[in-house]
Amino acid sequence: MKKAKIAVLVSGGGTNLQALIDYEKKGLLKSGEISLVISNKKEAYALTRAENNGIPTSVVLKKELGSQEAFEEKIMDLIDDNGIDIIVLAGFMSILSEKFTTHYPKRIINVHPALIPSFCGKGFYGLKVHEAALAYGVKVTGATVHFVNEVPDGGEIIAQKAVYIKEDDTPETLQKRVMEEAEWIILPESVEKVCSKIVSEK
Ligand code: GAR
């Protein structure tokens, strides 16, 4: 059976990319293959993770291209030239415009480190999300995988997993537990689920 080609967009450490690579290595990614990693940061450790696993990489810098439009066009060219079927945002810290998201309906998925609709939308990314959850005093948080549309963190939810907050949690300890107990589990599972749907429709 033909597999769906996956592009993973990253900006940082790439632990979610690593979870996806490990899932593929275990033979669990039955319907998809990680075919390309695109970073908007030159120094992202995610690039090293991809290189260590023989996955082609590309760096696209907004500053060099001059505008959001040119930045997105460059990414679209890479996606289209490589015959990519699904785009996974795994710690990609740049909001994509409506022009981009509407070009790939139900073909872009994102992992967010909270239970949407809490602590999400513009300005909620990375550690800030966990700082906000602790400041509010919620007792349960978690992670969400969702389709990406024109509303930041507003697309249809694919999967969620809850994580309990501990009395002595700091943003850093909470971020680590949300990754380990939720993100690294539901992201690969959701990617497989969406890929399987894509290949069955091909
Ligand atoms: C992850 O916690 C991811 O959910 C979050 O950034 C981290 C990236 O870590 N993404 C967002 O906040 C997007 N709004 P990683 O580079 O190690 O996967």
Side-chain angles (χ1 to χ4, degrees):
M1 193 179 61
K2 214 169 173 299
K3 292 188 173 186
K5 292 183 88 177
I6 304 164
V8 186
L9 272 56
V10 297
S11 302
T15 64
N16 278 288
L17 167 66
Q18 189 66 55
L20 204 54
I21 292 172
D22 294 345
Y23 195 80
E24 182 171 20
K25 277 187 170 167
K26 283 186 199 152
L28 297 169
L29 194 56
K30 295 188 166 51
S31 315
E33 57 191 352
I34 309 168
S35 306
L36 180 64
V37 169
I38 302 174
S39 174
N40 67 336
K41 299 265 183 259
K42 241 191 276 190
E43 69 282 7
Y45 185 67
L47 289 167
T48 307
R49 294 181 191 271
E51 282 154 16
N52 287 345
N53 287 280
I55 303 163
T57 60
S58 208
V59 176
V60 181
L61 303 174
K62 189 162 26 180
K63 226 163 112 188
E64 265 176 17
L65 292 159
S67 68
Q68 179 72 17
E69 205 175 352
F71 170 72
E72 291 186 0
E73 268 168 18
K74 177 80 196 164
I75 297 175
M76 281 184 172
D77 287 347
L78 285 166
I79 298 295
D80 299 342
D81 293 350
N82 286 282
I84 298 298
D85 297 295
I86 165 172
I87 303 165
V88 177
L89 309 184
F92 185 64
M93 302 301 182
S94 176
I95 291 181
L96 295 162
S97 74
E98 185 167 354
K99 187 175 168 210
F100 188 99
T101 57
T102 53
H103 196 72
Y104 304 103
K106 291 252 182 129
R107 288 290 187 272
I108 313 173
I109 77 173
N110 179 48
V111 59
H112 183 74
L115 295 174
I116 290 174
S118 290
F119 312 116
C120 65
K122 210 166 180 278
F124 286 100
Y125 58 86
L127 214 49
K128 285 181 195 289
V129 178
H130 304 292
E131 283 165 3
L134 290 177
Y136 196 96
V138 291
K139 303 300 176 206
V140 183
T141 184
T144 304
V145 176
H146 62 94
F147 285 113
V148 174
N149 65 7
E150 68 286 358
V151 181
D153 294 326
E156 186 190 323
I157 291 173
I158 302 165
Q160 287 188 306
K161 194 162 186 288
V163 173
Y164 284 95
I165 287 173
K166 293 183 180 168
E167 292 242 327
D168 59 352
D169 261 331
T170 62
E172 290 79 11
T173 61
L174 185 57
Q175 178 180 53
K176 186 165 177 280
R177 244 186 15 271
V178 168
M179 285 175 159
E180 288 169 353
E181 293 179 15
E183 296 185 50
W184 300 343
I185 299 164
I186 62 172
L187 180 67
E189 285 177 359
S190 301
V191 172
E192 169 56 21
K193 190 172 162 192
V194 175
C195 285
S196 135
K197 190 156 188 291
I198 291 172
V199 292
S200 74
E201 287 166 358
K202 265 196 174 183

